Amino acid sequence: MRKHKDLLAVLRHNRQRVTPARRFLLQFFIDNHGRSLSLPEIQTFLQDRLPGINRSSIYRNLEMLKTLSIVQELRVDRKGRHYQFVFERPVHHFIICKACGKVSKGKRNFFEQVERALQDIHDFKKANLSVTFYGFCSRCRSD
Amino acid sequence: MRKHKDLLAVLRHNRQRVTPARRFLLQFFIDNHGRSLSLPEIQTFLQDRLPGINRSSIYRNLEMLKTLSIVQELRVDRKGRHYQFVFERPVHHFIICKACGKVSKGKRNFFEQVERALQDIHDFKKANLSVTFYGFCSRCRSD
DNA sequence: CACACTAATGCATCATGTTGCAAATAGTAA
DNA sequence: TTACTATTTGCAACATGATGCATTAGTGTG
């Protein structure tokens, strides 16, 4: 489980400066590591603590965290991105039920099978930080 | 291989009306079935033939074609969506090389393995029309 | 602690998507 | 053909996301 201090070290190691916005952002992700956070929810949180923070700063910081593989971006539906804290490595795929909206983390087993198939069949390697699958979970199916 | 006339039938069957914009759009996809079309390219094409056509009509029509599984939307990079005509069934996954940008259609074999893993391991079914994988193809790797 | 260097922020502006509503138009039946 | 109805379109307004640039503020050094 990754801690706030460790993450600040990751930033510094990548020549990224530790600003107030980034501290709050990381803390927010850590405190909610079990679930993915919607963009509005992140915005509200930050604007609460740093009144007047600019939209573009939020976008740019989330983009940066993505680049450093600290968070993953998911598209839950057409509008609305979510951000998932990568709190353990290696990262996983995500599976979203189109009916109930539940976001599940793909099992390691699944991740490995997909990666292996990608490499064996298509000669693609170390392809993804994550892939998001949309489907219907067993509870939302009648069959 | 799906023909213009067949696609119009699909529209009608789904109570979608056949408008000039939709005729042109479908023809454009058919004429370029080998590759995915960027949104700007689609816009230019339509605005050429239907001067004054509104942005929202284009978005709405592409959305409709997605819903009917006539096209698939791909995100090639952060900005910029592409649309891929589903010219044969069953549909496939797509694999995009982050280095050279090449869009490959996933092999049937790969598609099946992924779907099977998704079902066996996560009990998700008939999950996706398509999934897009990002990675590095053999030509862009040094190993 | 003060300074210099560079990266991050705010701001303004632009680009891209979305949405509600009135007007236009495709499908349908007489 | 005409008239009717429901869908699609254009439009306007809004929401979201991206970008160049001047200013501000972290960070390392002396």
Side-chain angles (χ1 to χ4, degrees):
Chain A
M1 174 59 117
R2 309 168 89 188
K3 286 285 179 203
H4 197 250
K5 213 180 63 174
D6 302 337
L7 293 173
L8 297 185
V10 173
L11 292 203
R12 293 208 176 87
H13 182 258
N14 286 279
R15 283 165 227 80
Q16 300 294 318
R17 295 178 178 177
V18 176
T19 64
R22 291 173 178 185
R23 286 180 190 279
F24 283 125
L25 200 46
L26 289 174
Q27 196 56 56
F28 194 37
F29 276 114
I30 291 170
D31 293 343
N32 293 279
H33 69 270
R35 62 195 187 88
S36 59
L37 305 176
S38 70
L39 184 51
E41 165 171 45
I42 292 170
Q43 288 177 325
T44 304
F45 176 87
L46 282 181
Q47 281 162 355
D48 252 29
R49 277 149 192 84
L50 299 168
I53 186 174
N54 196 274
R55 250 178 331 136
S56 51
S57 293
I58 300 178
Y59 288 128
R60 284 191 276 226
N61 280 327
L62 286 170
E63 192 61 26
M64 184 268 293
L65 294 183
K66 270 175 62 187
T67 303
L68 299 189
S69 301
I70 292 175
V71 301
Q72 296 178 35
E73 189 184 85
L74 312 176
R75 302 196 78 93
V76 171
D77 50 21
R78 178 157 204 82
K79 51 182 327 185
R81 316 176 167 188
H82 276 220
Y83 294 86
Q84 167 74 45
F85 180 43
V86 178
F87 60 99
E88 276 171 348
R89 317 194 132 281
V91 295
H92 296 268
H93 292 327
F94 289 96
I95 305 175
I96 300 178
C97 179
K98 285 180 170 180
C100 64
K102 186 170 188 303
V103 178
S104 320
K105 204 175 72 169
K107 293 178 186 164
R108 169 187 288 269
N109 196 9
F110 176 67
F111 182 86
E112 287 170 353
Q113 274 194 229
V114 171
E115 295 294 296
R116 196 178 314 121
L118 197 57
Q119 181 167 347
D120 291 351
I121 299 176
H122 283 284
D123 200 14
F124 262 62
K125 217 168 182 175
K126 267 193 180 305
N128 304 276
L129 179 61
S130 84
V131 182
T132 308
F133 297 84
Y134 298 88
F136 295 97
C137 69
S138 52
R139 316 189 81 212
C140 292
R141 280 188 275 124
S142 49
D143 63 274
Chain B
M1 174 60 117
R2 307 167 90 189
K3 289 283 180 205
H4 197 251
K5 212 181 64 176
D6 302 337
L7 293 173
L8 297 185
V10 173
L11 292 203
R12 292 208 176 86
H13 181 257
N14 286 278
R15 282 166 228 79
Q16 300 295 318
R17 293 182 177 176
V18 176
T19 64
R22 291 172 177 185
R23 286 179 190 280
F24 282 125
L25 200 47
L26 289 174
Q27 195 57 56
F28 194 38
F29 277 114
I30 291 171
D31 293 344
N32 294 278
H33 68 270
R35 62 194 188 87
S36 59
L37 305 176
S38 71
L39 184 52
E41 164 171 47
I42 292 170
Q43 287 177 325
T44 305
F45 176 87
L46 281 182
Q47 280 161 355
D48 253 29
R49 277 152 191 83
L50 298 169
I53 185 174
N54 196 273
R55 253 178 327 136
S56 52
S57 294
I58 299 177
Y59 288 124
R60 285 191 274 224
N61 279 327
L62 286 170
E63 192 60 26
M64 185 267 293
L65 294 182
K66 270 175 62 187
T67 304
L68 299 189
S69 301
I70 291 174
V71 301
Q72 296 177 34
E73 188 183 84
L74 313 176
R75 303 196 80 93
V76 170
D77 49 22
R78 179 157 201 79
K79 51 185 321 186
R81 315 177 168 187
H82 276 221
Y83 293 87
Q84 168 74 45
F85 179 43
V86 178
F87 59 99
E88 274 173 349
R89 316 195 134 278
V91 294
H92 296 267
H93 293 329
F94 290 96
I95 305 174
I96 300 178
C97 179
K98 284 181 172 182
C100 64
K102 188 171 186 302
V103 178
S104 320
K105 203 174 72 172
K107 293 179 186 165
R108 170 187 288 267
N109 195 10
F110 176 67
F111 182 88
E112 286 169 355
Q113 274 193 229
V114 172
E115 295 295 296
R116 196 177 315 122
L118 197 58
Q119 181 168 346
D120 290 353
I121 300 175
H122 283 284
D123 200 14
F124 261 62
K125 216 167 183 177
K126 268 196 180 299
N128 303 276
L129 180 59
S130 84
V131 182
T132 308
F133 296 85
Y134 298 89
F136 296 97
C137 69
S138 51
R139 318 188 82 209
C140 292
R141 278 187 277 125
S142 49
D143 62 275

